[in-house]
Amino acid sequence: MDRPQDRLALIECFEREGRAARVLDVWHWPVTLGRAMDNHIVLDDPFVAAHHARIEALPEGGLRLAHADDRSS
């Protein structure tokens, strides 16, 4: 990582057995999750939709986990 001070967040992905599989730096919001290759975080899991969820920053601070199709915010 070139500039850790610019990182907004760190996401740890765990395997079903509870072992940490990978660690991902977040440099901008939103972050998309799903099986499709165009997501920021690609999950190899048959129970996950191609475009499963989105993590977004709220204007008042904090984060929101939303369904990938929910654009209400």
Side-chain angles (χ1 to χ4, degrees):
M1 176 175 21
D2 294 334
R3 297 182 50 87
Q5 67 272 20
D6 293 337
R7 180 176 61 200
L8 298 174
L10 185 74
I11 296 176
E12 293 180 299
C13 297
F14 292 87
E15 296 176 353
R16 289 187 187 271
E17 297 81 24
R19 291 185 304 253
R22 54 190 164 145
V23 177
L24 305 157
D25 294 320
V26 176
W27 301 100
H28 59 84
W29 301 111
V31 171
T32 58
L33 300 91
R35 282 182 298 131
M37 296 303 292
D38 62 343
N39 287 292
H40 297 107
I41 300 173
V42 177
L43 302 170
D44 183 21
D45 187 322
F47 296 101
V48 172
H51 295 99
H52 196 81
R54 188 176 67 253
I55 303 171
E56 54 194 29
L58 298 173
E60 64 274 9
L63 299 173
R64 175 179 182 249
L65 177 64
H67 185 274
D69 294 331
D70 180 8
R71 305 286 180 187
S72 63
S73 58

